[in-house]
Amino acid sequence: MSRKPADTYSPLYFLASLGAGGLSVTFFMYLMFWVPHQGRPVPVFEDIVSAFSTGSAPLQAAIVIAVLGIIGMTFLNVKSLLWNFAALGRFKQTNAYTELRRSNAETTLLAAPLASAMTVNALFIVGLVFVPGLWNIIEYLFPLALLAFGALGVWALGLIGHFLGRVLSEGGIFDMTAHNSFAQLLPAFALAMIGVGFSAPAAMSLTPVTVAFSLAISTFFAVASLIYTVVALTTAFGSMLHHGTAREAGPTLMVIVPIVTILSILFLRQDHGLHTTFEGHSSAASTMLWLTQMISVQVVFLLLGLTVLRRQNYFADFVFGTKTSPGSYALVCPGVAFSVLMQFYVNKGLVAAGAISAFGVAYWSLTAIALVSQALMVLLVLRLNKQHFSPTTKAAAIAAE
């Protein structure tokens, strides 16, 4: 009887939804930085239609690609999210779920609120791009968005509280020998994603109380994410030095990359809100330098992760070979996140500071790095979806804790 590798369920399959949602953001970057949107922090339907009507052929082509990419990746994002919730419901009825709640792998449940927060962000992008007149009622939508992210925040904090309450109160039940990866950074990832959702009104709202609330709550989740990251990172690194990196969890070595991108966007949104609403100003030069530092952090962890994965022959087995692991979807997030932050670095960093000219040779040379990373991640998502969701006579997915 043929089965799919995904039939052996793990909450890490929520990362399939997350990756597709992240790719929808990479396509929105085309519109964000190439379509004029005077007087608004983001392009909306009217800006896109105007640019398509009056723009050059290359711009029109970019808009078509962006729109199709957003539609396709958001569809995959929502489809995978719904499949995961159904599969998680069935998984909760099994002994495997009970064992998961007693192990280090309990934190994999944070992939659910993480992916859900990404879906809310992706659907917001869909609204901006495809709904005429949305900007006229945007102030009424921010409270609804804050409520949605509030619910996700309570969910995520509840899961984290159950895990930390169990391992810190009982003692001796957290397996340090199985802590030899950055898999325990998943809660920090989820907190950061919820935080960046909370930060959106800070960048877009003109209502001071909405901006202030957005700044406060997004700061809480950013700080919580940073604290969790530091603790999980340092303890995991010690375990990896002693035991080596868990092979199936190798891709988690690069989870710092998406966390850096998300928190960078969060802080950029906060900076914009402070500037437009509370007269708090930062210089373009300081933003350029700070983004350079964030890109540098990402490159360091990308090099670390790729070095270990190459030595372990991870790609040969789990991407191009016959073995499957739901943790492979963690490979998508770093490439997507690097592509997005590279676009911000080029446009909000280098161009804004006057280091390079918009749409010049240097501009497109650097932007090409982001576009290549994006294209590779599109291919990777399609490859992994085929591996994990196509029927096969031998299907055994290896869970990454």
Side-chain angles (χ1 to χ4, degrees):
M1 181 177 179
S2 65
R3 300 177 68 246
K4 302 184 293 293
D7 290 336
T8 305
Y9 185 72
S10 164
L12 288 177
Y13 275 117
F14 274 100
L15 298 182
S17 174
L18 176 71
L23 280 169
S24 72
V25 177
T26 65
F27 285 105
F28 182 69
M29 292 297 98
Y30 296 14
L31 308 177
M32 178 74 179
F33 296 121
W34 302 344
V35 170
H37 44 95
Q38 190 68 30
R40 281 185 285 263
V42 290
V44 297
F45 174 82
E46 289 77 10
D47 300 316
I48 298 166
V49 170
S50 175
F52 187 81
S53 301
T54 61
S56 62
L59 178 58
Q60 291 176 331
I63 290 173
V64 170
I65 293 171
V67 168
L68 293 177
I70 291 169
I71 292 173
M73 290 303 155
T74 303
F75 172 78
L76 286 179
N77 165 256
V78 174
K79 176 185 176 183
S80 181
L81 187 73
L82 295 176
W83 176 86
N84 268 283
F85 276 123
L88 179 62
R90 295 189 295 270
F91 180 62
K92 286 183 176 180
Q93 310 303 315
T94 66
N95 291 331
Y97 176 77
T98 303
E99 291 301 315
L100 180 140
R101 294 303 296 261
R102 297 172 179 169
S103 70
N104 292 15
E106 182 180 4
T107 52
T108 61
L109 294 172
L110 269 297
L114 168 62
S116 300
M118 182 73 256
T119 298
V120 175
N121 288 318
L123 293 177
F124 184 73
I125 287 175
V126 169
L128 291 175
V129 174
F130 296 104
V131 180
L134 185 69
W135 198 255
N136 296 328
I137 60 169
I138 197 71
E139 292 290 349
Y140 299 101
L141 298 179
F142 288 140
L144 298 176
L146 292 172
L147 287 173
F149 283 108
L152 293 173
V154 170
W155 181 16
L157 290 172
L159 291 173
I160 294 171
H162 184 277
F163 172 71
L164 292 180
R166 178 174 63 84
V167 300
L168 296 179
S169 63
E170 300 178 26
I173 58 175
F174 184 81
D175 187 359
M176 287 299 295
T177 62
H179 188 32
N180 53 339
S181 71
F182 289 164
Q184 292 300 322
L185 284 171
L186 192 58
F189 194 177
L191 291 172
M193 184 66 76
I194 293 168
V196 79
F198 270 118
S199 70
M204 301 180 198
S205 177
L206 298 178
T207 305
V209 66
T210 301
V211 174
F213 185 82
S214 172
L215 288 169
I217 303 301
S218 62
T219 296
F220 167 79
F221 278 95
V223 170
S225 176
L226 286 169
I227 292 173
Y228 207 108
T229 296
V230 171
V231 173
L233 190 70
T234 52
T235 55
F237 210 85
S239 182
M240 285 190 294
L241 290 175
H242 187 69
H243 301 288
T245 302
R247 191 162 184 257
E248 291 78 24
T252 65
L253 292 179
M254 298 180 288
V255 74
I256 289 291
V257 177
I259 292 176
V260 167
T261 290
I262 293 167
L263 291 179
S264 296
I265 295 173
L266 185 154
F267 293 134
L268 285 171
R269 286 175 168 180
Q270 289 186 335
D271 183 70
H272 185 81
L274 289 170
H275 169 71
T276 57
T277 306
F278 299 113
E279 298 297 328
H281 304 288
S282 61
S283 68
S286 63
T287 299
M288 177 183 69
L289 180 59
W290 174 67
L291 285 172
T292 303
Q293 294 165 347
M294 295 302 100
I295 286 286
S296 298
V297 172
Q298 290 188 325
V299 171
V300 167
F301 279 93
L302 284 171
L303 292 174
L304 171 66
L306 292 174
T307 297
V308 173
L309 291 173
R310 183 179 62 84
R311 291 291 295 269
Q312 293 183 332
N313 293 319
Y314 185 92
F315 290 96
D317 286 341
F318 292 101
V319 177
F320 302 110
T322 57
K323 295 182 180 180
T324 57
S325 167
S328 297
Y329 278 99
L331 291 169
V332 178
C333 302
V336 167
F338 180 71
S339 175
V340 170
L341 193 61
M342 194 68 186
Q343 290 273 24
F344 275 93
Y345 176 54
V346 171
N347 292 277
K348 294 295 186 181
L350 298 175
V351 173
I356 63 174
S357 300
F359 310 120
V361 174
Y363 179 93
W364 287 116
S365 297
L366 292 170
T367 300
I369 299 174
L371 299 181
V372 169
S373 181
Q374 176 197 32
L376 290 175
M377 293 308 101
V378 171
L379 294 175
L380 180 59
V381 164
L382 298 178
R383 168 63 180 171
L384 292 176
N385 284 349
K386 181 179 179 181
Q387 275 186 307
H388 288 263
F389 293 93
S390 296
T392 177
T393 53
K394 282 187 177 181
I398 302 173
E401 294 188 358

